[in-house]
Amino acid sequence: MSVDRRAVLAGGAVALVVPVTMVANGSLQALSGTTGGSAAAPAPAATALGAYLRIDSLNNVTLLIGPTEMGQGIMTGLGQLVAEELMLNWSQVKVEHAGPSASPPNPFANPLFGLQLTGGSTSMRGWYLPLRQAAATAREMLLAAARQLAPGKTWALAAGGKVTDGTTTYAFSQLVETATLMTPPAKVALATTRNAIGQRLPRTDIPAKVDGSAVFGIDVQVPGMVYAAVVHCPTLGGTVASMPASASGAQALVNLGNGVAVVAGDTWTAMRIAESLGSKIKWTLPADTASRDSVHIRAKGLELVGSTNAVPHIYETTGGLDPAVAIANAPTRLDATYELPYLAHACMEVLNCTASVSATSAEIWAPTQGQALNVFTIAGITGLAPRAITVHTTYLGGGLGRKFDQDFVAEAVKIAKAVGKPVKLTWSRKQDFQNDMYRPCAAIRVQAGIDANKTLTAMLYRNVSPSINIQRNSKPGNNPEDTGAVAGALDLPYAIPNRRIEFVPNPADIPLGYWRSVGESYNTFAVESAMDELALAAGQDPMAWRKALLAADPRSLGVLNAVDTLSGWSKSAAPAGSARGLAFLKGFGSYIALVAQISLSGGKIKVGKMFCAIDCGVAVNPDQIEAQIQGGIAHGLAATLWGQVTFAAGVPSVSNFNNYRVLKLNDMPTVSVSIVPSSEAPGGVGETGVPCVAPAVANAYAKLTGQRVRTLPFYPGATMGGL
Amino acid sequence: MAQTLKLNVNGANRTVTVSSSDMPLLWVLRDLLGLTGTKYGCGIEVCGACTVLIDGQREHSCVFDVTSAVGKKIVTVEGLAADADGRKAQAAWIANQVPQCGYCQPGMLMVTVGAMKAGHHGGEIASEVEHICVCGTYQRIKQAIQSL
């Protein structure tokens, strides 16, 4: 998570910034918000040992986590940490979503930034040490309990959740009541074994995801609930001028300001009425449509990218020479502008939220990445104190950054408040596509100079894009920065002596959001395309060129060497009719290098193989790291080839998967992953696989065809095909 | 027009009252019968998340009128464990650690089991999986299908 994004979050929710609590305290206070995909069978009696662990009469250990499971495998990864410290058999480990706690401090807030939010590939990074310390503390308290029950003996942990002195053995379940009374030690030693950490353990959530029992937000059922759908103004920024008071078959219509909710006895009836209601609602359209028109926004971006009048935010200045001067004096120069479009999230699970609101309390069940913000949203609408608000986190049918936002939660709470019953709001797919918080478009100009010795001496980088942070947080007296807009271009590990990294905001009124890999999703395309163009301009092999520029950075060099070996780059040419392209990223606390091997099929790109090397520090679960890389590549590849949303005077061009192409099985390349062994602190994985895809493919395409593509996607609009 | 119908779902006879006879089976399963394993994804037969078996045939329940399902055997993901092919597919999905978010996987499993029941194998089944998985679990889906 970038510094900047963290600042946004903290700025919006100062009261929830708390120090991380990791002492075991025996309290049940943190358990109220748990939910998840567990079956309806009554749970065996359990005792909490601290905020994070619960030990039941069958000697199962349940870990309660703050991060949201949205497919990245965080339940499993965090479960492995606890299994290691407590020497648990994997079958004993259960993991559930938890929090926020009813009163501060919230022990489920990510220790990196003090809020319960999931994003920026920060969950393992934030929890790796704190959770191990919490589990190790629990271990010491269980040992202390054994000493209290049978003094004078030497007790040690045994595999399977037990404590033994060699003759007598206690299960944790026999000790936990006593353990809650023990004083937590001030310092604990962490396990040095590697029985769980680093192992390819199976995911805890998969059995429920193959038998239909996993509860996603859209699956929540609450006694007495009604169903709602919504129709928003078809033009972004429009509001309800007038609406019918009722509709046949609907229990209620609720004015949401920018849309109307329909409440009915089932989802389909609500959606059907909502769709037919559109023509009966009078909308007030926004006066400014140019700021919601992508042709206009793109033209403005291209103007600003070359304008000497624009006032850039300068986020990095390195070296003693003005890069503009160094470049002007260089015998070999690059001046290239790269363009990327707005993108939709297109989570498989549409936005939805179930809410129940009374005069004294409010409760939601939601597929949410932003529990801390949910509390503020609900408090703002209901006037209730945070302690009267309960957030239940369900499984997410994909999050991708979209379910961090609050719009769908706010709507459900407003509807529930209006009708006085629990309500489940489900957006139709069309509403989901047309009311997204879109990935910003960008125009990025890279200028660079190579001297007579083939040395890259200077880079001048200018990103022109609408800013997420400025859009969300600008107000009189507050002019926020957005270093996240140049994430992926800042602090490049390449040896480029003189550089300046600029950001020029291109303000527009298309709603923006965090899209898997955020700033890197566009800046890495520009940086790594430019690195390839520079290598070719210098007459160098792109792999050798990068290795030379990263020679002083062992971890960067490590992934390049690994991907070189894995792909056979330096060993042999690509098969006839195909070509390889390379890209590299240091980001999210990790290092990644990617080789795309592509050919043409019917004149269009076919990506046959992808070779990836990653150094993400300690690899807690190599199987899940591979899964995330495979998935990140699929996500990045769809965006590279087809992903684009345009806006005509505020009306989005996409409405469903029949006009927004995503990857299908036949499009999926074979992905090979090499995980570079490391004992460094864990880095991020969930987003790391995405950014290198576009430049690796574009670099391969240039090699294959001699044609440099600097504008994404490769196949926009009518050329997309394959729907 | 409200109508009361008898359905056979996963081997059990169920009676439902629908608000309209053209209500798609998907929403009858989810909202009226509480069988939420079958998922809404697109509503227009593109993503495949809503796939169920009706008399052994793969159908998109998002556009399948509930009245057309009367008198037929409906199988959803919740019914796979009672079927030998279903159990085999579920075991392959677990062995290959296929799901990430898991939302599309009921549909993936249903289309696979439907293809198995049609006597198809390996690459033949894979070529029939035109469903969408935004997590990109395709490589493992292919491996799982190949292992059947």
Side-chain angles (χ1 to χ4, degrees):
Chain A
M1 178 165 285
S2 69
V3 171
D4 191 60
R5 186 170 169 195
R6 203 156 60 225
V8 184
L9 303 177
V14 172
L16 271 190
V17 177
V18 293
V20 62
T21 306
M22 52 205 177
V23 274
N25 57 19
S27 160
L28 277 163
Q29 51 96 6
L31 304 180
S32 61
T34 64
T35 183
S38 53
T47 304
L49 184 56
Y52 307 116
L53 299 173
R54 213 162 54 197
I55 298 172
D56 70 25
S57 57
L58 302 174
N59 212 30
N60 290 319
V61 177
T62 300
L63 167 64
L64 303 162
I65 63 164
T68 300
E69 177 59 66
M70 46 191 171
Q72 81 280 43
I74 196 62
M75 283 186 160
T76 304
L78 297 183
Q80 288 175 252
L81 307 181
V82 170
E84 192 72 68
E85 296 299 335
L86 291 172
M87 284 180 76
L88 300 171
N89 293 334
W90 189 233
S91 60
Q92 289 176 279
V93 178
K94 318 285 172 201
V95 188
E96 293 180 8
H97 288 131
S101 64
S103 54
N106 177 15
F108 302 105
N110 188 316
L112 281 186
F113 42 83
L115 290 170
Q116 190 176 352
L117 303 170
T118 304
S121 300
T122 55
S123 296
M124 185 56 77
R125 285 193 276 170
W127 286 103
Y128 183 72
L129 283 177
L131 204 52
R132 291 183 65 190
Q133 283 161 348
T137 301
R139 177 226 295 148
E140 295 308 319
M141 294 168 79
L142 288 159
L143 288 167
R147 288 194 294 272
Q148 169 126 337
L149 292 173
K153 296 182 176 180
T154 305
W155 295 99
L157 221 57
K162 294 169 193 161
V163 171
T164 185
D165 71 342
T167 47
T168 307
T169 299
Y170 290 116
F172 285 176
S173 55
Q174 295 169 286
L175 296 171
V176 63
E177 293 285 351
T178 309
T180 60
L181 308 172
M182 301 291 107
T183 306
K187 261 182 91 171
V188 290
L190 300 183
T192 53
T193 50
R194 284 293 177 271
N195 296 316
I197 294 172
Q199 302 300 319
R200 294 173 176 265
L201 295 177
R203 285 174 61 143
T204 60
D205 55 335
I206 281 185
K209 289 178 175 177
V210 301
D211 68 10
S213 67
V215 177
F216 296 86
I218 200 170
D219 302 328
V220 167
Q221 299 174 69
V222 176
M225 79 176 184
V226 291
Y227 298 80
V230 62
V231 54
H232 296 98
C233 181
T235 301
L236 294 170
T239 54
V240 177
S242 67
M243 56 178 271
S246 63
S248 172
Q251 296 177 13
L253 303 183
V254 181
N255 187 338
L256 297 171
N258 67 336
V260 175
V262 176
V263 180
D266 60 77
T267 308
W268 177 72
T269 301
M271 279 187 187
R272 200 181 44 150
I273 296 169
E275 202 165 321
S276 69
L277 205 60
S279 57
K280 301 187 185 102
I281 302 167
K282 297 259 186 307
W283 304 102
T284 303
L285 300 184
D288 181 0
T289 53
S291 70
R292 295 175 175 85
D293 195 295
S294 44
V295 171
H296 173 83
I297 296 164
R298 181 181 181 191
K300 213 170 69 174
L302 287 174
E303 182 194 319
L304 289 168
V305 90
S307 165
T308 49
N309 295 325
V311 181
H313 298 235
I314 297 172
Y315 288 140
E316 184 183 342
T317 308
T318 303
L321 270 180
D322 180 344
V325 174
I327 292 163
N329 293 332
T332 307
R333 291 185 290 271
L334 173 75
D335 185 353
T337 297
Y338 305 89
E339 285 190 276
L340 300 98
Y342 286 103
L343 293 175
H345 289 82
C347 296
M348 284 302 298
E349 180 195 26
V350 290
L351 293 174
N352 67 84
C353 178
T354 302
S356 180
V357 178
S358 75
T360 54
S361 68
E363 200 167 1
I364 64 162
W365 296 260
T368 176
Q369 297 176 242
Q371 292 86 348
L373 304 180
N374 296 150
V375 173
F376 275 86
T377 298
I378 300 164
I381 295 166
T382 61
L384 292 165
R387 67 176 175 280
I389 294 165
T390 306
V391 175
H392 301 280
T393 305
T394 65
Y395 283 125
L396 269 63
L400 304 170
R402 178 62 177 94
K403 290 169 182 168
F404 171 86
D405 272 303
Q406 300 298 303
D407 48 348
F408 60 105
V409 171
E411 289 185 353
V413 171
K414 285 178 190 169
I415 301 163
K417 195 178 165 202
V419 300
K421 291 178 192 171
V423 63
K424 175 159 73 178
L425 168 68
T426 306
W427 285 22
S428 69
R429 175 57 67 189
K430 181 179 174 183
Q431 293 298 317
D432 190 281
F433 263 114
Q434 302 209 322
N435 297 275
D436 202 350
M437 302 285 181
Y438 302 91
R439 199 284 305 267
C441 64
I444 301 169
R445 184 179 182 190
V446 184
Q447 295 168 266
I450 298 169
D451 70 12
N453 300 320
K454 307 283 185 200
T455 302
L456 180 54
T457 56
M459 177 183 276
L460 186 50
Y461 186 96
R462 175 178 287 189
N463 174 310
V464 179
S465 58
S467 157
I468 303 172
N469 199 23
I470 293 173
Q471 183 178 80
R472 289 174 182 223
N473 293 294
S474 289
K475 48 183 178 252
N478 183 33
N479 299 302
E481 295 294 328
D482 193 353
T483 55
V486 288
L490 281 182
D491 302 320
L492 290 172
Y494 291 118
I496 308 170
N498 304 294
R499 46 184 137 160
R500 188 162 73 236
I501 310 297
E502 302 177 347
F503 171 53
V504 177
N506 180 8
D509 290 315
I510 305 295
L512 304 174
Y514 305 106
W515 188 91
R516 189 178 186 178
S517 79
V518 197
E520 283 84 344
S521 78
Y522 37 93
N523 290 304
T524 302
F525 173 62
V527 169
E528 287 299 304
S529 294
M531 289 309 291
D532 234 61
E533 296 202 56
L534 288 162
L536 300 176
Q540 306 262 322
D541 169 68
M543 179 75 77
W545 170 255
R546 285 178 177 80
K547 283 186 186 177
L549 288 167
L550 293 167
D553 189 352
R555 294 182 75 186
S556 296
L557 201 55
V559 293
L560 282 174
N561 285 330
V563 87
D564 190 346
T565 305
L566 186 69
S567 65
W569 182 288
S570 299
K571 203 173 154 197
S572 56
S578 60
R580 299 187 188 118
L582 171 66
F584 160 84
L585 168 68
K586 176 185 177 184
F588 309 100
S590 294
Y591 301 75
I592 190 165
L594 183 71
V595 169
Q597 186 168 300
I598 73 164
S599 58
L600 296 180
S601 170
K604 290 193 173 172
I605 292 174
K606 171 80 184 166
V607 184
K609 292 184 178 178
M610 288 279 199
F611 304 93
C612 173
I614 181 168
D615 173 351
C616 56
V618 172
V620 174
N621 187 324
D623 189 55
Q624 286 312 307
I625 292 164
E626 289 171 12
Q628 283 308 293
I629 297 301
Q630 291 168 3
I633 285 173
H635 204 235
L637 188 53
T640 303
L641 298 178
W642 314 301
Q644 182 178 45
V645 184
T646 59
F647 302 88
V651 180
S653 60
V654 297
S655 58
N656 208 320
F657 288 113
N658 62 349
N659 48 32
Y660 191 85
R661 187 172 173 186
V662 297
L663 222 67
K664 289 191 179 179
L665 190 136
N666 280 337
D667 307 311
M668 183 73 196
T670 302
V671 178
S672 310
V673 180
S674 169
I675 300 171
V676 177
S678 171
S679 54
E680 298 284 340
V685 173
E687 292 166 289
T688 316
V690 179
C692 285
V693 176
V697 169
N699 294 340
Y701 189 77
K703 171 94 174 162
L704 187 65
T705 66
Q707 197 187 335
R708 174 59 59 177
V709 171
R710 298 195 182 107
T711 301
L712 294 184
F714 269 82
Y715 307 113
T719 66
M720 193 172 359
L723 286 165
Chain B
M1 201 60 177
Q3 200 175 350
T4 298
L5 305 169
K6 285 191 167 58
L7 298 173
N8 184 285
V9 187
N10 299 327
N13 291 318
R14 308 284 298 262
T15 303
V16 290
T17 301
V18 296
S19 58
S20 162
S21 59
D22 54 358
M23 188 167 176
L25 178 60
L26 170 67
W27 298 107
V28 175
L29 293 170
R30 291 182 53 81
D31 288 357
L32 305 186
L33 295 176
L35 292 169
T36 55
T38 306
K39 296 297 191 259
Y40 168 68
C42 68
I44 56 167
E45 291 196 89
V46 171
C47 79
C50 68
T51 302
V52 298
L53 299 184
I54 297 178
D55 280 349
Q57 300 294 310
R58 292 154 275 181
E59 300 287 355
H60 293 127
S61 66
C62 72
V63 296
F64 198 96
D65 286 354
V66 62
T67 48
S68 305
V70 173
K72 295 176 178 163
K73 291 190 186 308
I74 303 161
V75 178
T76 70
V77 66
E78 289 92 345
L80 286 185
D83 176 272
D85 290 330
R87 285 193 297 275
K88 202 172 167 189
Q90 286 175 321
W93 250 244
I94 292 172
N96 288 279
Q97 292 285 291
V98 172
Q100 290 186 24
C101 90
Y103 192 83
C104 73
Q105 301 298 341
M108 294 288 185
L109 283 157
M110 296 314 294
V111 72
T112 300
V113 172
M116 289 166 78
K117 294 198 174 302
H120 301 171
H121 298 279
E124 204 175 7
I125 299 178
S127 71
E128 293 167 44
V129 178
E130 294 187 340
H131 293 194
I132 289 172
C133 169
V134 173
C135 293
T137 62
Y138 300 116
Q139 189 159 332
R140 293 178 180 210
I141 290 174
K142 282 196 242 184
Q143 287 165 359
I145 289 173
Q146 215 60 44
S147 77
L148 291 171

